[in-house]
């Protein structure tokens, strides 16, 4: 098995992978703040301090399966796969806090730097007007079937899609001593891949693909258990 774009290969699963990174793009983003519903006019609104410090903990990264096709048997020489993918998970950027916190975009910006999705030059670029899809709490989930993989050999194949999801807890500390705790989640890359049902799965994502398509196809076949 080999990775056609240089990503570490998932042994026993990946025949080819296409990835899209959430890098920088130019343009103004929408405000992530929403008005307090039901607040009476004239009431003071608690806001986060502008010069606080983020501290992150419990950072996790994992591949999440977002779509998978039914298995399809191809003869000698392979060929295009016809079965569409069905969505099994919809990734969504998320920010939760237990009190007044910076905007979701600012929280995700800090998470992106912590997770390596936004590089060390990001603050300078941000000041110059750059924005990142990673910081957009309304970032839509990657589509399915946008990149079709074409096997070149015979086998029983399943095409799948996924994202590398990152999540962590944060504390935002203000100079005066006030702190806010919360949790944020987003994804750093999305990818599509191909698995041959004859290969033994050896990762959580590979086992998920096999369980949803390969094992189901084997159970429903005339010779299946």
């Amino acid at each position: 098995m080999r990775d056609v774009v240089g990503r570490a290969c998932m042994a026993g699963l990946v025949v080819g992978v296409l990835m899209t990174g959430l890098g920088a793009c130019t343009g103004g983003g929408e405000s992530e703040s929403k008005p307090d519903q039901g607040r009476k006019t004239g009431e003071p609104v608690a806001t986060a301090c502008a010069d606080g410090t983020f501290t992150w903990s419990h950072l996790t990264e994992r591949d999440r399966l977002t779509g998978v096709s039914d298995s399809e048997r191809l003869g000698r020489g392979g060929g295009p796969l016809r079965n569409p993918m069905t969505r099994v998970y919809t990734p969504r950027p998320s920010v939760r806090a237990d009190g007044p916190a910076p905007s979701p975009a600012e929280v995700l910006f800090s998470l992106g730097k912590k997770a390596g999705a936004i590089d060390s030059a990001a603050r300078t670029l941000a000041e110059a007007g750059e924005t990142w899809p990673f910081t957009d709490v309304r970032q839509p989930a990657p589509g399915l079937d946008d990149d079709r993989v074409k096997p070149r050999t015979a086998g029983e194949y399943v095409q799948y899609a996924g994202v590398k999801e990152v999540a962590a807890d944060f504390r935002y500390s203000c100079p005066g001593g006030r702190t806010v705790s919360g949790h944020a989640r987003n994804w750093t890359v999305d990818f599509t891949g191909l698995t041959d049902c004859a290969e033994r799965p050896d990762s959580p994502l590979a086992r998920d693909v096999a369980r949803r398509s390969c094992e189901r196809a084997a159970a429903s076949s005339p010779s299946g258990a």
Side-chain angles (χ1 to χ4, degrees):
M1 301 297 174
R2 64 185 180 87
D3 188 328
V4 298
V5 293
R7 181 172 183 238
C9 188
M10 298 175 194
L13 174 67
V14 177
V15 173
V17 172
L18 302 173
M19 294 197 311
T20 303
L22 297 183
C25 64
T26 302
E30 296 182 1
S31 172
E32 304 297 345
S33 301
K34 294 182 179 180
D36 292 336
Q37 299 297 323
R39 180 174 61 84
K40 295 180 179 180
T41 303
E43 288 185 352
V45 179
T47 58
C49 62
D51 51 355
T53 302
F54 282 100
T55 302
W56 292 91
S57 61
H58 307 110
L59 178 70
T60 60
E61 293 184 301
R62 63 168 174 161
D63 291 332
R64 294 290 302 266
L65 185 69
T66 58
V68 64
S69 72
D70 289 336
S71 64
E72 188 171 350
R73 184 171 295 280
L74 299 178
R76 183 178 179 181
L81 294 174
R82 308 295 183 185
N83 292 337
M85 282 188 278
T86 299
R87 185 169 293 280
V88 297
Y89 173 67
T90 302
R92 293 187 177 92
S94 173
V95 175
R96 303 192 308 271
D98 62 7
S103 70
E106 189 171 349
V107 175
L108 291 175
F109 184 88
S110 181
L111 174 62
K113 291 196 298 180
K114 178 67 175 180
I118 298 176
D119 63 27
S120 58
R123 177 60 68 182
T124 300
L125 292 173
E127 292 172 351
E130 297 281 354
T131 60
W132 285 260
F134 189 89
T135 68
D136 184 0
V137 77
R138 298 183 181 88
Q139 173 79 356
L144 302 178
D145 293 311
D146 292 339
D147 298 301
R148 301 298 294 179
V149 181
K150 183 178 180 180
R152 298 182 179 180
T153 58
E156 185 176 356
Y157 294 102
V158 174
Q159 182 160 352
Y160 66 89
V163 297
K164 182 172 290 293
E165 196 169 66
V166 298
D169 298 325
F170 70 87
R171 287 178 65 84
Y172 186 74
S173 304
C174 295
R178 187 177 69 182
T179 63
V180 176
S181 299
H183 183 82
R185 182 185 70 236
N186 208 342
W187 68 92
T188 56
V189 295
D190 63 273
F191 55 86
T192 61
L194 193 70
T195 187
D196 187 335
C197 289
E199 298 287 342
R200 181 178 179 179
D202 61 355
S203 72
L205 189 143
R207 288 190 289 273
D208 199 3
V209 171
R211 176 180 60 84
R212 291 176 181 274
S213 294
C214 299
E215 294 176 10
R216 183 177 63 184
S220 62
S221 67
S223 59

